[in-house]
Amino acid sequence: MILRILTGLFCLLTLPLGAVETIDSPIGTGKADKNGNAGKADAINIGQPFGVEVGPDGAMYITEVENHRVIKYSRKTNRVQTVAGNGTKGLTRDGGLATDAALNEPYEVRFAANGDMYFVEMKNHMVRKVDFKTGVITTIAGTGTPGYGGDDGPATKAQLSNPHSIALDDKGNLYIADIGNHRIRRVNLETGIIQSIAGSEQRSLPQDGQLAEGNPILGPRALYFRNNVLWIALREGHSVWKLDLASGRLHHVAGTGAKGYSGDQGDPLKATFNGPKGIVVDHQQRILVVDTENHAIRLIDLEKNEITTVAGNGKVGFSGDRGPATKATMDRPHGIGIDLQGRVYVGDTNNHVIRVFTTPR
């Protein structure tokens, strides 16, 4: 196993320009049951990995849905360790160490500039924070009871419904994909006040150029912030949008809104997706989308006005390690992150591993 990992990572690091991008799975064993809180990355089981995000320390942080934990992966040591959650499903309220807390399906993780870690507990209908200095867990938004309410008041008294994704901007705001309510909520972290900035009771696709506030946004599942833009993947809407935070308007980026798997090497607006659940922007300003139900990773190059598949072949399974990323099979991937060296990490959820590859330059 160790030789397989070292070989795969060597391939990733030594690819020349124009070479075929290879894929590997250096984190996780393929088994889901909890078998330890820390250890070698190829020995500790990861049960249904979802969110993947690089932290301020350069390590990769992974939300583990089945074992109700957040884990940290250090590439330097090839080790993982638990940083939140005790592996028990439940709800531990505020004030204790995050590693002692019972969680309920953490889905995505992000970091503030000061190192504080934020993550979503989907089935506790909350967003939590782990203090960088103390390791203590507190609630940022949600009461623990599903519903919709609380706008223009304290976020900790507001109700959320199955929140899936979060994003932090550079102005002290937290954004929440409140998927059960088909809304995006914003929390001012200084005042603690929550507001709905996109979505309504209507279940339909947005209109290009429309104001986001008070108008429909169908199934916002994944959020990513970059340069005062909130990039959004709509799971039920099978499409990708961006919210210009200065104007408050939504703009259509990719996907017709119909369910399918088509359009590669063509106009992103004419492509089809099937339940996308992850999104990130790379160092070249290209958008990578986890096309979950197509078991593939799609890349949107707005400069070229082109969409392509960069990992996965559209079939469900687990194969392809140490080979071309586009010939590999995955099983309902979710979260996606990019490390400081440009490697892409994907939570290959039902395979219980993290897949790693590089994108074409």
Side-chain angles (χ1 to χ4, degrees):
M1 176 65 79
I2 293 175
L3 179 61
R4 178 178 69 83
I5 291 169
L6 292 175
T7 301
L9 288 179
F10 177 79
C11 290
L12 287 172
L13 290 172
T14 57
L15 284 171
L17 291 177
V20 173
E21 285 70 27
T22 60
I23 193 168
D24 214 333
S25 51
I27 310 168
T29 66
K31 297 179 180 179
D33 55 299
K34 182 175 178 284
N35 70 340
N37 292 318
K40 290 291 186 180
D42 64 337
I44 297 297
N45 298 345
I46 304 174
Q48 290 194 320
F50 271 56
V52 189
E53 176 77 350
V54 65
D57 56 357
M60 189 59 66
Y61 290 76
I62 303 158
T63 57
E64 189 185 0
V65 170
E66 188 166 336
N67 291 324
H68 311 285
R69 303 183 297 188
V70 182
I71 61 174
K72 170 185 175 179
Y73 166 70
S74 171
R75 187 172 170 274
K76 291 181 180 179
T77 64
N78 192 39
R79 294 181 65 85
V80 296
Q81 68 180 79
T82 302
V83 294
N86 62 16
T88 302
K89 179 180 179 179
L91 173 56
T92 298
R93 295 287 181 173
D94 297 347
L97 289 176
T99 48
D100 293 335
L103 310 178
N104 195 349
E105 297 196 7
Y107 266 60
E108 198 161 75
V109 58
R110 302 287 190 220
F111 287 86
N114 66 354
D116 289 345
M117 182 174 75
Y118 292 77
F119 63 90
V120 175
E121 286 188 66
M122 185 177 180
K123 293 303 180 182
N124 278 335
H125 314 284
M126 306 168 82
V127 178
R128 314 296 294 277
K129 181 183 84 170
V130 179
D131 185 275
F132 170 71
K133 294 180 180 179
T134 66
V136 170
I137 191 169
T138 54
T139 301
I140 297 301
T143 63
T145 302
Y148 177 65
D151 276 350
D152 302 314
T156 51
K157 294 184 178 180
Q159 288 180 291
L160 308 173
S161 180
N162 293 307
H164 186 277
S165 179
I166 54 175
L168 292 161
D169 69 13
D170 50 8
K171 298 177 182 177
N173 295 302
L174 168 76
Y175 300 87
I176 306 168
D178 191 1
I179 60 174
N181 291 314
H182 293 271
R183 287 173 169 87
I184 296 174
R185 317 284 288 274
R186 179 176 62 199
V187 180
N188 183 313
L189 295 176
E190 183 176 349
T191 65
I193 299 300
I194 191 170
Q195 296 174 309
S196 292
I197 65 165
S200 69
E201 294 181 358
Q202 186 179 348
R203 303 293 186 256
S204 62
L205 282 169
Q207 295 180 19
D208 192 26
Q210 188 177 51
L211 284 170
E213 187 174 355
N215 287 309
I217 184 166
L218 185 61
R221 286 291 175 117
L223 307 176
Y224 187 80
F225 174 83
R226 174 72 67 85
N227 297 331
N228 212 35
V229 169
L230 197 62
W231 299 90
I232 308 163
L234 302 185
R235 193 251 182 239
E236 286 81 1
H238 308 292
S239 53
V240 177
W241 297 71
K242 67 176 183 178
L243 172 54
D244 185 314
L245 294 170
S247 68
R249 294 188 179 275
L250 287 161
H251 299 281
H252 194 185
V253 174
T256 65
K259 181 168 66 174
Y261 184 21
S262 65
D264 276 357
Q265 283 76 52
D267 183 346
L269 290 172
K270 296 179 180 179
T272 56
F273 296 88
N274 189 356
K277 290 189 178 180
I279 191 167
V280 72
V281 179
D282 74 5
H283 306 304
Q284 299 179 55
Q285 307 303 310
R286 302 173 302 181
I287 305 104
L288 287 118
V289 180
V290 183
D291 198 355
T292 299
E293 308 304 335
N294 283 326
H295 317 287
I297 312 302
R298 317 283 291 277
L299 184 147
I300 302 165
D301 190 323
L302 294 179
E303 186 174 333
K304 294 180 179 179
N305 193 39
E306 183 180 69
I307 185 170
T308 55
T309 295
V310 291
N313 64 10
K315 298 178 182 179
V316 64
F318 178 58
S319 66
D321 275 356
R322 302 180 303 282
T326 52
K327 292 187 177 180
T329 57
M330 301 181 183
D331 192 345
R332 301 194 74 238
H334 282 77
I336 186 167
I338 300 174
D339 73 10
L340 300 178
Q341 288 72 43
R343 288 177 289 264
V344 180
Y345 291 67
V346 174
D348 193 353
T349 304
N350 287 346
N351 285 322
H352 312 295
V353 295
I354 302 298
R355 308 299 284 274
V356 185
F357 63 94
T358 58
T359 55
R361 296 185 176 97

